[in-house]
Amino acid sequence: MGFLNFIGLIVVLKFLVYFVLFFTSDTDLELWFYDKFKRNFDSFKGKVVWITGASSGIGEQIALNLSKYGTKLVLSARNKDKLYQVKNRCIDLSEGKLTANDILVLPMDVTHISKHNSLFDNVINHFGKLDILINNAGRSQRAIWEDIELGVDQELFDLNVFSVINLSRIVVRYFNQVGHGQLVATSSIAGIIPAPFSASYDATKHALHGYLGALRLEKLHTNIHITLLCPGPVFTNFLKESFTGRPGEKYGLTHSPTDNRMSAERCAHLSCVAIANKLKESWMAKFPFILILYFSIYCPVIAYKFYELIGYKTINKLRDNQ
């Protein structure tokens, strides 16, 4: 076999592997590798991790996962009672690795940015350090583009962007002082490619990639790491709590157990793999979302022809299983 034939065979085998993984995996290829061969969960032991949006959904499941490895936790959300429920479950799951003092319940509305400094001080006063901040709080949206009132755009940016950036800047300044740390944000596949009927939400997630992508480049030669988590549809109350086109209104749609969604537990597990290995950006979703994402990025002309063929309303139905 000649050298060029050998190279051609390798390329064909590579694409065959990719093809199989696209249809069987629920992650991008990098995250798939680390999940299978290098989870590195022991690195969480003794770390202090602050999670916003920790009272339910992905944030709650990340907290439960981390508690198994002896991670000291700061749990934040608006609902104090639910946070204490999560705390008690974390203590039980830790099997003696954590005590009540190792989990700080810190109720907060992330949009009240004037309180961020004092809340951060509470974390440092309690634990003496912070190793990882996971910005998980946020809401989605469903609305027709031209029907969205400007107040909705402002509320979504306050919650999904400005609260994240303000708290992150406080924490990154601290990381600069101590010389290390990790900043994590829950974005979305909609932060990479736009999804129909979610314009304001899409914009907020794209904004996170812009803000934190720039920060990642600025910290290339430091021990400060930036991780963006990009899930697709997940079994949470996310859709029910979504914004619409009018301020103060909730979408209110509930999902069915038969929907094509990833479980919050699986999403949290994959998120922990990405965080433990300090991956820069990780995608997680059930088939066919990862395949669509790869085609949209690497073959955009083909992807748009596909969208034109099936229509954006079909894409929206696929996303929300309506």
Side-chain angles (χ1 to χ4, degrees), residues 145-160:
W145 195 94
E146 61 269 27
D147 292 341
I148 301 170
E149 296 181 19
L150 187 61
V152 173
D153 298 294
Q154 294 169 333
E155 288 184 21
L156 265 167
F157 267 81
D158 284 342
L159 174 59
N160 290 358

Side-chain angles (χ1 to χ4, degrees), residues 113-159:
I113 60 175
S114 62
K115 298 182 179 180
H116 285 183
N117 275 302
S118 62
L119 291 166
F120 170 76
D121 290 341
N122 287 344
V123 174
I124 300 303
N125 290 336
H126 186 88
F127 286 114
K129 67 170 186 173
L130 176 64
D131 297 294
I132 302 172
L133 170 64
I134 303 177
N135 291 289
N136 178 71
R139 285 172 62 188
S140 186
Q141 179 204 31
R142 298 295 184 273
I144 296 172
W145 195 94
E146 61 269 27
D147 292 341
I148 301 170
E149 296 181 19
L150 187 61
V152 173
D153 298 294
Q154 294 169 333
E155 288 184 21
L156 265 167
F157 267 81
D158 284 342
L159 174 59

